[in-house]
Amino acid sequence: MRDVAVIGIGCTKFGELWDKSFRSLFVEAGTMAIADAEISGEQIDEMFVGNMSAGRFVGQEHVGALIADYSGFATANIPATRVEAACASGGLAFRQAFTAVASGLADVVVAAGVEKMNDVGVEETTDVLAAAADREWEGIAGVTFPGLYAMIARDYMNRYGLTREQLAMVAVKNHDNGQFNPNAQFPSKITIDTVLNSSLVADPLRLFDCSPVTDGAAAVILCPLDRAREFTDTPIKVLASSQASSSIALHDRADISTLDATVAAGNRAFEMSKLQRSDIDFVEVHDCFTIAELCAIEDLGFCKKGEAGKLTEDGETALHGKLPVNTSGGLKSCGHPVGATGVKQIYEIVTQLRGDAGKRQIDADIGMTHNVGGTGATVVCNILGRV
Ligand code: COA
């Protein structure tokens, strides 16, 4: 297997982007990444694009071909593949691109993610997202994504004594970080009271415990590490890329507040990179709901089960804490265009490792991403480091 590096990154603004189409979002992020890597389109060998549900959000299938066409690569017959793993589609597109380069099948590969969620109403969006759970056992009973994560939150609170305030602190911390991210959908500072007084979505989760509905795209470019300096002075090495599956329905899990797939993908990433938890300087985790961030920190092995609420309360996961979590603002403040999120996480790690994160800059050599599909049926982890 060859060593792989990220040589270019691009990300659109996240939000309700009424003046941009699905395809233009992808082209915008891809063009930024190509310009950043200082390559020309002819140098690209292959593309992978993460997308959860363009068919239902914008009525468009055959996304790989569309993207190749509108990026101007169809005339060169460049292979372009859509990757779908619900909200982990972007992370998995990155892993597919990594595999293509590491295996020697391709040299310069684009990994991108795109979703345009706001073109349908919130009822339709909720139903589309519910398709990432088990339709026959969960969706059919009327349970939504906020509903599933509310069950996880309630179980966790009962077992580990997490307080409602500690849960709110996750959102407060992520908005603290997101206020410094020019791409964030909600770059506003909030307080614990903002969260506690926001409308109830699915008890105990309130509006400000939830990631929003978002349009956006992100793209990165990978190549073999030994070619990276042809394109950039600051290549970022991919130290590990792992994936794991678990049961799609929550009720089939032995423990609903532990994501088995996070445990497995995390362990695999640490094995592959030969790193310890203590080597990781910061992590972008999948905080689709506040409770999800706490489960992720624990299931990745950064603290024991039941301790992540206290860690958050003590400021250890804050921007300049011992283990900064979600320096981008996370899904909560930055937004969550489901197919793009996993690639945006890579964008944030690379931005930080290059020292380009402006007011949210931290001192870091190694960062990790954690991207979840459904309630944990698919998990993708990546570890990246400065060369
Ligand atoms: N955080 C902060 N503010 C938010 C927000 C969020 N998550 N969602 C909406 N807002 C703001 C809106 O901008 C709006 O503000 P305004 O009145 O000043 O314009 C206000 O809150 C109400 O927003 P609205 O769009 O009417 O909310 P909604 O009821 O349509 O949707 C949720 C709220 C929580 C149901 C929706 O965001 C949601 O489903 N989130 C979860 C998405 C999800 O499950 N993703 C996959 C997870 S893996």
Side-chain angles (χ1 to χ4, degrees):
M1 223 170 65
R2 302 191 291 181
D3 285 336
V4 178
V6 176
I7 54 166
I9 55 171
C11 188
T12 68
K13 168 107 183 107
F14 282 8
E16 287 187 33
L17 307 177
W18 299 111
D19 56 337
K20 293 188 177 160
S21 67
F22 175 77
R23 63 188 71 185
S24 71
L25 281 171
F26 173 87
V27 172
E28 187 180 327
T31 306
M32 281 185 213
I34 287 172
D36 183 52
E38 295 186 35
I39 58 170
S40 63
E42 297 85 66
Q43 289 172 284
I44 292 170
D45 294 324
E46 189 158 5
M47 305 167 75
F48 293 91
V49 55
N51 173 256
M52 176 179 166
S53 202
R56 290 191 64 192
F57 284 133
V58 295
Q60 177 71 58
E61 303 289 9
H62 210 174
V63 169
L66 175 92
I67 294 308
D69 191 8
Y70 275 80
S71 307
F73 299 143
T75 46
N77 309 118
I78 288 174
T81 307
R82 173 193 185 164
V83 178
E84 191 275 308
C87 304
S89 300
L92 199 53
F94 180 82
R95 183 166 146 72
Q96 296 302 309
F98 165 80
T99 307
V101 178
S103 69
L105 273 178
D107 260 14
V108 180
V109 177
V110 178
V114 56
E115 207 78 56
K116 185 128 184 33
M117 302 171 72
N118 280 292
D119 288 10
V120 295
V122 75
E123 290 81 11
E124 175 75 2
T125 302
T126 301
D127 189 60
V128 174
L129 293 170
D134 188 326
R135 179 66 81 183
E136 287 193 12
W137 285 100
E138 295 175 319
I140 211 147
V143 67
T144 61
F145 253 82
L148 289 164
Y149 274 93
M151 286 187 236
I152 296 175
R154 193 47 86 197
D155 176 61
Y156 187 109
M157 290 168 100
N158 287 341
R159 290 167 63 187
Y160 301 112
L162 177 79
T163 66
R164 201 20 288 206
E165 286 73 16
Q166 285 173 324
L167 202 52
M169 287 169 196
V170 174
V172 172
K173 185 263 297 170
N174 287 348
H175 277 258
D176 278 350
N177 297 347
Q179 67 176 318
F180 300 127
N181 186 345
N183 289 333
Q185 179 168 6
F186 291 112
S188 48
K189 223 172 142 41
I190 59 167
T191 65
I192 292 178
D193 280 346
T194 319
V195 184
L196 300 186
N197 295 328
S198 63
S199 46
L200 195 60
V201 174
D203 188 50
L205 302 179
R206 294 178 173 272
L207 179 69
F208 274 79
D209 288 297
C210 306
S211 58
V213 173
T214 310
D215 307 327
V220 302
I221 297 176
L222 301 90
C223 82
L225 182 62
D226 61 11
R227 284 196 60 197
R229 297 227 181 246
E230 285 174 36
F231 308 104
T232 176
D233 293 333
T234 52
I236 301 299
K237 185 176 174 187
V238 185
L239 301 168
S241 185
S242 67
Q243 179 187 351
S245 308
S246 183
S247 65
I248 194 160
L250 212 49
H251 63 251
D252 282 329
R253 312 243 176 100
D255 169 355
I256 67 166
S257 49
T258 297
L259 276 67
D260 299 339
T262 295
V263 176
N267 286 340
R268 285 172 195 160
F270 283 105
E271 264 166 46
M272 185 172 178
S273 62
K274 300 187 175 58
L275 293 168
Q276 307 296 315
R277 268 69 182 175
S278 56
D279 295 321
I280 303 294
D281 295 317
F282 69 117
V283 57
E284 285 285 301
V285 303
H286 196 96
D287 59 319
C288 51
F289 299 93
T290 44
I291 186 63
E293 174 166 317
L294 300 180
C295 293
I297 295 168
E298 295 167 356
D299 298 341
L300 289 171
F302 292 112
C303 67
K304 292 203 188 98
K305 211 65 208 164
E307 288 181 352
K310 180 78 170 53
L311 218 63
T312 307
E313 184 173 8
D314 292 346
E316 301 219 0
T317 60
L319 195 59
H320 297 292
K322 211 167 152 194
L323 178 72
V325 177
N326 286 328
T327 58
S328 69
L331 286 54
K332 175 68 204 79
S333 166
C334 190
H336 183 26
V338 286
T341 284
V343 183
K344 181 226 79 182
Q345 293 179 326
I346 303 286
Y347 176 92
E348 176 66 11
I349 300 285
V350 173
T351 302
Q352 288 283 357
L353 294 179
R354 285 176 174 182
D356 290 340
K359 286 188 178 168
R360 64 182 198 287
Q361 184 65 50
I362 56 165
D363 183 17
D365 293 319
I366 298 177
M368 180 172 191
T369 67
H370 162 262
N371 189 200
V372 176
T375 52
T378 302
V379 172
V380 181
C381 290
N382 295 290
I383 301 179
L384 294 97
R386 288 157 61 103
V387 179

